[in-house]
Amino acid sequence: MDDPTAFFESALVYLAAAVVSVPVAKRLGLGSVLGYLAAGVAIGPFALNLVGDAGKTGGLMHVAEFGVVVMLFMIGLELRVPVLWRMRGSLLGLGGMQVLLSGLALAGAAMAWGVGWKASLAAGFILSLSSTAIVLQSLREKSLHGTPGGRHAFATLLFQDIAVIPMLALLPLLGTGNDSAGHGGLSGQPGWLRALAVVAAVSGVVFLGRWLVPRLFGFIARSGLREMFTAAALLLVIAIAVLMTRVGLSPALGAFVGGVVLAGSPYRHELEGDLEPFKGILLGLFFVSIGAAMDLSLLLVYPMEVAAMVGALVLVKGGVLALLSRVFRFGPDTGALYTLSLFQAGEFAFVLLGQANGMGVLNQSLTGKLNLVVALSMVLTPLALLVYQFLWMPRFGKSSAIAPREADKVDHASPVILVGFGRFGNYVGRLLRSQGHRPVILETDAEHVELTRRLGFEVHYGDATRLELLEAAGAANAKLMIIAAGDEETIDRLVETATRHYPQLKLVVRANGMNHRMALYNRGVEHVFHEMSGSALDAGAASLRLLGLPAFTAERAARRMARHDLQSARELAPVMHDESAYTAMVRERVANLENLFRMDPLHPHGEDDHAWEVDAKRRGDR
Amino acid sequence: MPSRRVLVLHAHPAPHKSRVNRRLVAEAEGVDGVTVRHLYEIYPDFLIDVREEQRILESHDAIVFQHPFYWYSAPSLVKEWMDLVLEHGWAYGSGGTALHGRIFAQAVTCGGGRDVYCSEGRNRHSVRDFLLPFEQSALLCGMDWRPPFVVHGTGDLKSAGEIEPFALDYRTWLESLRDGDGRSQETR
């Protein structure tokens, strides 16, 4: 990053290209990944030629690569150890078979092509990895990630991400011994020391996630500075990445481990919310840079060869995937989605190909061609998913694609989100839990989060007025949101965010007073609850009993008052803004009181229980 | 024989509006060996504690429902109580022997006079006839059913002096449930 203006200039070009092409691609139904890649090609040397070679982008490429790290951290965040354990079957069986079979088959194909066995083996296994970024992003955009095919694809991708470590470790064995690519700061050290460093680093990450981060975040939360959270979240991921690079491990994998460790922490949703925008934009830049770096001249010089290589990759990998779909008895629909989503090579291939080239495993020309093959296969993915979506699914796919909301989903989403777990929310939460519902609970008071966690509640720290956090809590898939925050402004903002972005959400909302309640009715919220009226009426009923009224009569009086309250609020709500805004404000306090009095039933005991009077019985002589 | 422990389950949704029923339950509260529970006071929310009710039943030998006569039956909480407390496997059915041999009786205050509660009257049946579902419920639970204590024409009983004889009759009736064979009169 020697020239700061170069950084900004390339950022300008990248972002401008993305901002133009991604919405267009989405409008055309191509998905954002293809849009980013197209943006890259457009600004690349073979179209507008707005970016120089990689060295002149002012380090933007490295920043973009960090997107992959952040993405794996967030994948880890969604996977708690018990979930991983439950997935062990498809993870090891399906994922393991996929990598092993694809790797060997692709290596065989390469040897048949006339490549040496070492280079073939390296290229085969590198290409056996699929693109986590493209596949997850595309599946999510098309809401296919919850389907059985989507889940199998996810498990396989996860195994591939893990398989990157042994690959990185084994690559040097295939090399010429010329370890020029470097392995981080420890490359010159003996093997046992490196192994020790790896163990120490991984333990360090676990320690970081288990012990240090919750304390650090609790400390930050108490300071009340929101941007410090974002800073701390980035710091955490960068620290893990640096640590891992130092000991020669993939930073992405380290981030993944860190994510898994933090998946059970109360700050999970907050972390997700903080990092989501970074992940999105960085990953986008990463795809743009892949598009820009594609050496399309190779395609002009060796069109048949490159096309044949892409064809071979797609056919071999797709064949293995189709075979696995049979072996694991997927239905035709699940099998089709599984095969069509994973046949490409992934972003890790760029990293590994670079390493392999550096170690002398692969020569320069083959590496260049393979890079192009990888990129082209990635470009094919959104197209293949379009085929699935528009040609396959309408004909065969109804069963599994229509019902994506199953209980056993990887991303744990609860149909209920409870915002605020204070004096009001904890009653709602306990009541829901007593009937077997486990809401995702969001709370902004860090100390309160820790206390209630110790009592066995799954409470997450986070400010739910932020859209990203609601997204992370699963608002897009939830059915019900209970807004139990105490502060009127927070409640209103939550109502606005929820109704605008998640129209499917049913809302149950706490109101701070009579006027707030009416205002919420006016905004179309149906289920509004005065935060005090319930217990105040209970207290009133208890007082009536102490004054000698029978318990049942007191209870009915309180219930009648509550019902009257509800009706009055609904009736008065539409006219509450009849006066000019100014007068309304001046009168607000008066009106509040007035409204309360206006609501009082004229007949304190009600008029509907004459049947229980002694003389009534005489009338009917029943 | 040793005296029985008598449980009076009193159910009136608006006791402050009653005259006779209130006086009767006050009388019951003064009888030795009689426990009175006011169901509408204990469960104004209708949320009946089934285990607690069963535990209390098990520690009494005679169960009396005291209630006004509404629509030829008891106030709704009594029905709720029966629905929930008289569980299968506890009160009846296989293993349901908890109430076997215990006395069951009702004390009913009724607005209509004797004249309207007879085969020639407008209601065509006696109060005792109308209580048939309770009688059969008790029999199903293996209980020793006894004829009810009925006060007719409560609307005409205005002064304390008019009500007093019924209170004394009620005391006598309860004492006979407690001490004797309990076979009793249906009052006026």
Side-chain angles (χ1 to χ4, degrees):
Chain A
M1 222 185 286
D2 33 352
D3 183 2
T5 54
F7 178 82
F8 282 117
E9 276 166 15
S10 52
L12 175 81
V13 171
Y14 274 59
L15 289 174
V19 165
V20 172
S21 60
V22 173
V24 171
K26 267 212 104 163
R27 181 63 60 87
L28 294 174
L30 297 174
S32 65
V33 174
L34 213 53
Y36 283 120
L37 286 172
V41 172
I43 59 174
F46 301 94
L48 302 176
N49 196 15
L50 292 173
V51 286
D53 54 277
K56 285 196 194 141
T57 56
L60 193 67
M61 184 79 180
H62 295 296
V63 176
E65 276 168 7
F66 185 60
V68 179
V69 176
V70 177
M71 182 187 67
L72 273 165
F73 180 75
M74 292 183 67
I75 292 174
L77 269 185
E78 296 213 1
L79 284 175
R80 282 180 266 187
V81 174
V83 178
L84 272 179
W85 183 245
R86 234 186 297 141
M87 286 174 65
R88 65 191 183 280
S90 50
L91 206 66
L92 291 179
L94 193 57
M97 292 293 276
Q98 189 275 328
V99 171
L100 193 67
L101 292 181
S102 303
L104 290 176
L106 289 168
M111 281 174 72
W113 201 280
V115 181
W117 73 269
K118 282 184 176 178
S120 297
L121 209 57
F125 276 93
I126 288 172
L127 295 178
S128 76
L129 305 176
S130 310
S131 171
T132 308
I134 289 192
V135 177
L136 286 193
Q137 189 104 333
S138 305
L139 289 180
R140 217 159 260 169
E141 274 176 14
K142 296 182 192 301
S143 294
L144 289 168
H145 59 289
T147 65
R151 291 206 306 272
H152 292 311
F154 180 77
T156 307
L157 289 167
L158 203 58
F159 180 85
Q160 293 176 354
D161 293 344
I162 297 170
V164 173
I165 328 177
M167 287 190 194
L168 277 172
L170 293 175
L171 261 183
L173 300 181
L174 296 171
T176 52
N178 171 24
D179 198 352
S180 68
H183 234 192
L186 291 168
S187 51
Q189 306 296 329
W192 63 268
L193 192 61
R194 268 198 254 173
L196 202 67
V198 168
V199 171
V202 173
S203 326
V205 169
V206 173
F207 167 80
L208 210 68
R210 271 279 138 79
W211 192 86
L212 189 65
V213 169
R215 276 165 182 72
L216 177 69
F217 276 53
F219 172 69
I220 294 173
R222 277 184 277 278
S223 81
L225 293 168
R226 183 187 282 178
E227 70 274 16
M228 275 303 109
F229 254 114
T230 313
L234 279 176
L235 171 69
L236 177 69
V237 180
I238 292 175
I240 292 173
V242 168
L243 185 66
M244 288 295 144
T245 317
R246 286 277 165 199
V247 297
L249 284 184
S250 134
L253 198 95
F256 175 74
V257 173
V260 172
V261 171
L262 281 169
S265 102
Y267 298 101
R268 173 165 66 120
H269 289 306
E270 176 73 24
L271 280 169
E272 280 179 331
D274 280 325
L275 292 174
E276 180 63 43
F278 288 97
K279 185 196 85 170
I281 190 70
L282 292 178
L283 218 51
L285 288 178
F286 176 73
F287 292 132
V288 175
S289 62
I290 289 174
M294 267 164 63
D295 191 356
L296 291 180
S297 66
L298 285 172
L299 192 58
L300 296 177
V301 182
Y302 311 101
M304 296 315 287
E305 195 181 344
V306 172
M309 283 168 81
V310 173
L313 170 67
V314 170
L315 286 180
V316 170
K317 221 170 159 180
V320 169
L321 291 166
L323 180 74
L324 288 174
S325 302
R326 294 281 309 261
V327 172
F328 283 84
R329 291 167 200 274
F330 298 164
D333 178 48
T334 303
L337 179 59
Y338 183 69
T339 306
L340 287 175
S341 57
L342 292 179
F343 68 82
Q344 79 295 96
E347 56 278 355
F348 278 119
F350 297 119
V351 181
L352 289 168
L353 285 172
Q355 294 256 345
N357 184 25
M359 291 171 198
V361 183
L362 297 172
N363 64 39
Q364 190 65 46
S365 107
L366 189 59
T367 306
K369 283 176 201 160
L370 285 177
N371 266 328
L372 189 59
V373 167
V374 171
L376 286 174
S377 76
M378 288 165 93
V379 172
L380 291 177
T381 309
L383 298 173
L385 286 174
L386 282 181
V387 169
Y388 172 79
Q389 196 178 11
F390 290 110
L391 294 179
W392 185 281
M393 214 161 71
R395 265 187 258 175
F396 311 101
K398 300 214 162 51
S399 56
S400 59
I402 299 299
R405 311 269 171 272
E406 291 166 41
D408 197 19
K409 272 199 342 177
V410 172
D411 44 7
H412 84 282
S414 164
V416 186
I417 297 171
L418 171 57
V419 182
F421 202 61
R423 286 176 302 188
F424 191 95
N426 88 73
Y427 278 94
V428 183
R430 279 164 52 209
L431 183 60
L432 289 180
R433 197 167 79 152
S434 77
Q435 299 304 306
H437 293 283
R438 301 211 153 261
V440 175
I441 303 172
L442 302 172
E443 165 64 45
T444 44
D445 182 338
E447 280 172 67
H448 197 62
V449 169
E450 271 152 44
L451 176 73
T452 41
R453 281 216 145 208
R454 256 178 269 137
L455 298 175
F457 280 92
E458 200 183 303
V459 185
H460 299 276
Y461 175 84
D463 178 354
T465 56
R466 299 170 53 207
L467 186 60
E468 314 91 77
L469 196 80
L470 281 180
E471 188 66 31
N477 297 330
K479 288 196 191 104
L480 174 68
M481 181 155 94
I482 301 144
I483 300 176
D487 166 57
E488 186 168 332
E489 198 192 320
T490 310
I491 295 170
D492 290 344
R493 281 174 59 192
L494 277 165
V495 167
E496 195 184 321
T497 311
T499 42
R500 183 183 304 161
H501 295 280
Y502 308 106
Q504 96 287 359
L505 268 182
K506 291 195 178 75
L507 295 182
V508 168
V509 183
R510 168 180 177 176
N512 271 352
M514 182 67 177
N515 280 5
H516 190 208
R517 185 178 187 175
M518 291 194 290
L520 285 165
Y521 281 138
N522 284 338
R523 295 171 64 180
V525 184
E526 198 175 338
H527 305 284
V528 182
F529 297 90
H530 190 297
E531 61 182 1
M532 300 291 181
S533 67
S535 48
L537 290 173
D538 283 349
S543 308
L544 288 173
R545 288 182 73 169
L546 291 173
L547 290 170
L549 210 62
F552 188 55
T553 308
E555 172 89 8
R556 284 173 53 83
R559 298 249 166 249
R560 199 180 298 116
M561 175 80 87
R563 183 180 296 175
H564 191 91
D565 231 79
L566 177 76
Q567 286 166 348
S568 307
R570 281 193 188 284
E571 280 164 22
L572 291 175
V575 298
M576 77 179 282
H577 288 306
D578 266 5
E579 299 116 320
S580 73
Y582 175 77
T583 332
M585 256 163 69
V586 174
R587 287 193 185 167
E588 187 173 14
R589 280 163 174 260
V590 188
N592 236 331
L593 214 64
E594 246 176 36
N595 287 339
L596 279 173
F597 283 114
R598 252 193 272 177
M599 282 168 14
D600 281 344
L602 289 172
H603 307 286
H605 296 309
E607 303 211 314
D608 52 1
D609 56 2
H610 293 308
W612 296 334
E613 285 168 20
V614 57
D615 294 326
K617 267 158 255 141
R618 251 196 109 213
R619 269 179 249 140
D621 272 343
R622 291 179 311 195
Chain B
M1 70 178 285
S3 66
R4 299 186 187 89
R5 296 161 296 175
V6 179
L7 175 66
V8 172
L9 293 171
H10 175 236
H12 198 302
H16 55 302
K17 294 180 178 180
S18 89
R19 288 191 296 264
V20 180
N21 205 285
R22 192 165 47 172
R23 177 65 189 89
L24 292 189
V25 82
E27 191 66 28
E29 279 174 330
V31 180
D32 284 340
V34 172
T35 315
V36 177
R37 280 169 68 75
H38 302 274
L39 291 182
Y40 274 97
E41 285 295 311
I42 303 169
Y43 304 120
D45 51 5
F46 272 52
L47 201 63
I48 290 165
D49 184 342
V50 173
R51 300 289 157 257
E52 171 76 355
E53 290 299 311
Q54 290 176 346
R55 193 185 61 70
I56 291 167
L57 290 178
E58 283 168 2
S59 61
H60 288 85
D61 309 301
I63 318 297
V64 175
F65 267 117
Q66 185 196 325
H67 59 82
F69 199 52
Y70 291 163
W71 283 110
Y72 312 112
S73 187
S76 55
L77 184 55
V78 174
K79 183 66 166 57
E80 184 92 350
W81 184 98
M82 289 175 71
D83 291 348
L84 296 175
V85 177
L86 303 180
E87 280 182 323
H88 183 273
W90 182 82
Y92 72 102
S94 63
T97 59
L99 298 173
H100 276 200
R102 296 182 212 271
I103 288 176
F104 177 90
Q106 272 163 291
V108 176
T109 51
C110 177
R114 235 171 227 298
D115 51 329
V116 296
Y117 282 103
C118 61
S119 52
E120 295 78 28
R122 143 178 26 172
N123 291 315
R124 306 194 300 126
H125 301 277
S126 69
V127 169
R128 178 175 159 174
D129 290 345
F130 285 118
L131 295 177
L132 183 63
F134 294 92
E135 179 178 345
Q136 179 54 32
S137 302
L139 291 178
L140 185 67
C141 295
M143 299 179 81
D144 177 7
W145 182 85
R146 302 295 173 87
F149 176 90
V150 182
V151 181
H152 277 289
T154 52
D156 296 325
L157 305 174
K158 308 247 179 195
S159 71
E162 286 173 299
I163 298 170
E164 201 54 26
F166 295 96
L168 295 177
D169 283 352
Y170 189 40
R171 169 180 284 271
T172 312
W173 185 76
L174 284 172
E175 283 170 349
S176 74
L177 281 183
R178 182 189 65 191
D179 304 322
D181 64 359
R183 303 268 164 227
S184 78
Q185 70 279 33
E186 279 181 59
T187 23
R188 274 168 274 193

